[in-house]
Amino acid sequence: MFHGMNGHGWGMGWGWIIALLILAALIWFIFRMVNQQNRSQDRSSQTPLDILKERYAKGEIDKDEYEERKNNLS
């Protein structure tokens, strides 16, 4: 009936690979959730001036806008 496969068929040969893929996906998902929570906590501890400095450093705002907003915060 199984013709020399000792009763295992395809499932036994690929089953451990599928289990490893599922385990890797689970670990990746947990890592992403923990990392996302850490980032949101870091942002909440920043002051408005820190955020302004970060935006200026990234080039999102120019020097004039940085100075204007900095003066508005003071």
Side-chain angles (χ1 to χ4, degrees), residues 4-71:
M5 288 190 251
N6 296 327
H8 295 296
W10 285 99
M12 292 300 287
W14 293 97
W16 66 275
I17 294 174
I18 293 170
L20 283 176
L21 290 174
I22 291 171
L23 181 61
L26 183 62
I27 290 171
W28 176 80
F29 180 75
I30 291 170
F31 177 77
R32 294 274 301 197
M33 290 296 112
V34 169
N35 197 18
Q36 185 178 11
Q37 288 176 353
N38 287 342
R39 274 193 238 144
S40 66
Q41 289 174 356
D42 289 343
R43 287 185 184 154
S44 65
S45 64
Q46 288 182 326
T47 65
L49 186 57
D50 292 335
I51 295 169
L52 184 62
K53 288 177 182 178
E54 184 178 323
R55 291 188 63 204
Y56 178 62
K58 288 180 181 179
E60 294 176 4
I61 58 175
D62 61 9
K63 185 175 180 168
D64 293 332
E65 188 174 355
Y66 170 76
E67 293 295 333
E68 180 183 336
R69 290 180 183 217
K70 182 179 170 188
N71 290 334

